[in-house]
Amino acid sequence: MTVLIKSWIVIGLVAGPLNKYDYSMINKIYLLLISFMLSFAAPVYAEAPVVSVEKSGPYLVSVSHLRNKRYCEVLYGERSFLSLKVKVFSTEGLNECPEDSWRLITNKTITDAHPASFVKLNGPRYWTIDGIEAAGSTVNHEKENFGGIEMNLRATIHVGFLEQVRLLLGMSAYHAIPVTRTTKWIYKAGSPVYELISPSGERYVMQSYAQIVNTRLSIVDLPTLGQQLKLPQGWAYRSRVLTEDLNLVASGIAYVLQDSLSNSYQRQD
């Protein structure tokens, strides 16, 4: 009974006053209630879903000279019970996300046009890779227009229940999630790379930096970015110059995380 009372107190603190049209608050209450119920149940719900891995085949698309190029993403998805499947649309290859148009896009403009219980406006962002090669379902012609900005479907994210709770509580940084795509990130010899090293030694290489949390962040800040990050205990940030080419290959699944400033990294397997 004490735990139940505490859970309802938490719900009240997070949700606050709720009106009948506040679907964001309803989603929060949904997640917290399920979290409470699962705390008494056997751990039968795995965080990571089963994701099918496609055979990559030959790379069909190749793009170069990407470093420090601007792009934006719109992510949206609809929850089905405890799972959340999110589509990732990107301006890459179509335009460089004009600022005047990007400012006009809101969560509401997305939910007005799509049945979505999750929306994230992810940008502006800037590549820290030199090139991309893509294959499989990553190469497609599924395009959408968001506020006058054309975007292409680039990936799909399967968000497990525990990751949804982390998103809700603002604790998703430094937690890798699987992203369905078939790509090769290309980093050229002589170029700088920026890496996060986990306590277990896993290496995550930055694929893009973001002007979301720090709107003035630029590529010149990246060598000493560790001074701005809120790194968990045991994590390290470093910058180095490559002596040879580095290719990060995702043959169907990439494991991606973000730091406390929303910069994105892919795990080097």
Side-chain angles (χ1 to χ4, degrees):
M1 180 59 68
T2 301
V3 175
L4 179 59
I5 293 172
K6 288 182 178 179
S7 296
W8 280 108
I9 290 173
V10 171
I11 290 172
L13 290 174
V14 173
L18 179 67
N19 64 61
K20 64 181 179 179
Y21 298 109
D22 194 341
Y23 296 109
S24 176
M25 292 301 101
I26 291 172
N27 283 335
K28 289 182 179 182
I29 291 175
Y30 161 84
L31 284 173
L32 286 169
L33 282 174
I34 296 298
S35 179
F36 167 74
M37 289 187 291
L38 289 182
S39 68
F40 291 96
V44 296
Y45 298 108
E47 175 179 1
V50 177
V51 181
S52 60
V53 179
E54 62 185 18
K55 294 182 179 180
S56 61
Y59 289 103
L60 302 175
V61 173
S62 179
V63 184
S64 58
H65 306 292
L66 284 178
R67 188 171 290 260
N68 213 34
K69 278 191 62 177
R70 173 183 166 119
Y71 72 100
C72 297
E73 294 178 338
V74 168
L75 292 71
Y76 73 84
E78 191 166 18
R79 185 175 293 106
S80 175
F81 190 45
L82 296 180
S83 65
L84 176 63
K85 181 178 179 181
V86 178
K87 290 184 174 183
V88 181
F89 287 85
S90 172
T91 62
E92 174 53 44
L94 299 173
N95 58 77
E96 293 189 12
C97 184
E99 182 65 20
D100 290 345
S101 298
W102 178 248
R103 287 180 180 177
L104 298 178
I105 303 175
T106 65
N107 285 16
K108 187 176 185 304
T109 62
I110 306 302
T111 55
D112 283 348
H114 304 279
S117 56
F118 172 87
V119 176
K120 182 176 182 180
L121 305 180
N122 192 23
R125 309 190 72 87
Y126 296 82
W127 290 113
T128 54
I129 62 181
D130 296 300
I132 294 174
E133 293 184 357
S137 61
T138 306
V139 181
N140 64 78
H141 302 287
E142 185 174 341
K143 291 184 174 63
E144 291 197 22
N145 190 293
F146 302 96
I149 302 179
E150 191 175 36
M151 299 190 187
N152 202 140
L153 179 65
R154 295 303 186 196
T156 304
I157 302 175
H158 298 264
V159 185
F161 172 73
L162 294 182
E163 187 59 34
Q164 293 181 59
V165 174
R166 291 191 187 105
L167 285 169
L168 170 66
L169 300 177
M171 300 170 58
S172 59
Y174 305 101
H175 289 279
I177 60 174
V179 177
T180 304
R181 57 175 163 82
T182 302
T183 52
K184 180 194 292 184
W185 288 165
I186 301 170
Y187 301 81
K188 292 291 189 181
S191 298
V193 293
Y194 314 100
E195 300 171 320
L196 286 172
I197 313 298
S198 76
S200 61
E202 291 179 322
R203 183 179 303 169
Y204 294 85
V205 185
M206 186 186 290
Q207 61 188 34
S208 66
Y209 70 90
Q211 292 178 337
I212 299 173
V213 179
N214 180 353
T215 58
R216 296 187 176 184
L217 189 67
S218 73
I219 199 166
V220 299
D221 299 317
L222 301 185
T224 58
L225 185 67
Q227 299 172 10
Q228 297 187 43
L229 297 178
K230 297 177 181 177
L231 292 170
Q233 185 175 3
W235 286 75
Y237 176 88
R238 74 175 185 182
S239 170
R240 64 189 179 97
V241 176
L242 294 173
T243 57
E244 57 184 11
D245 289 353
L246 171 65
N247 296 326
L248 297 189
V249 177
S251 299
I253 300 177
Y255 289 90
V256 177
L257 62 73
Q258 292 189 345
D259 63 25
S260 51
L261 293 179
S262 294
N263 307 307
S264 292
Y265 304 73
Q266 179 176 312
R267 190 175 74 193
Q268 181 179 354
D269 293 324

